[in-house]
Amino acid sequence: TVRGPNGTRIGMSFADTRIDPRTCRPGHGNWAGMPICPIPSVPEVTLVFAIAGAEDPTALPDPATLAGATLQRIIWTPGAGSAS
């Protein structure tokens, strides 16, 4: 199994990743209803979570629901953490 920063792996729960929910934003378009969260210590990496039956695709869910979200994607964006 491939591991991302801080030992993250696809299929982990949001709670297991220990990401601060205040850093997350709701996805939009094809990722509506999916919390998108940066890893502050690794600004080039973003985590995308899935929530079964997300009720409001434009907002993050309550903390208990978010805790059970499942990590679906680990996205690396080269140069995202560098200053321009």
Side-chain angles (χ1 to χ4, degrees):
T1 302
V2 176
R3 291 184 183 264
N6 304 326
T8 55
R9 338 175 274 297
I10 300 299
M12 288 180 84
S13 72
F14 182 89
D16 288 340
T17 65
R18 303 171 63 106
I19 295 292
D20 181 349
R22 296 174 294 181
T23 66
C24 301
R25 64 178 174 82
H28 61 277
N30 289 337
W31 293 2
M34 300 178 83
I36 299 174
C37 309
I39 297 178
S41 61
V42 187
E44 298 86 6
V45 176
T46 303
L47 305 179
V48 180
F49 294 85
I51 300 172
E55 292 182 19
D56 182 355
T58 64
L60 293 175
D62 63 87
T65 302
L66 184 58
T70 304
L71 181 59
Q72 295 294 304
R73 291 176 175 85
I74 300 173
I75 301 171
W76 173 60
T77 306
S82 61
S84 358

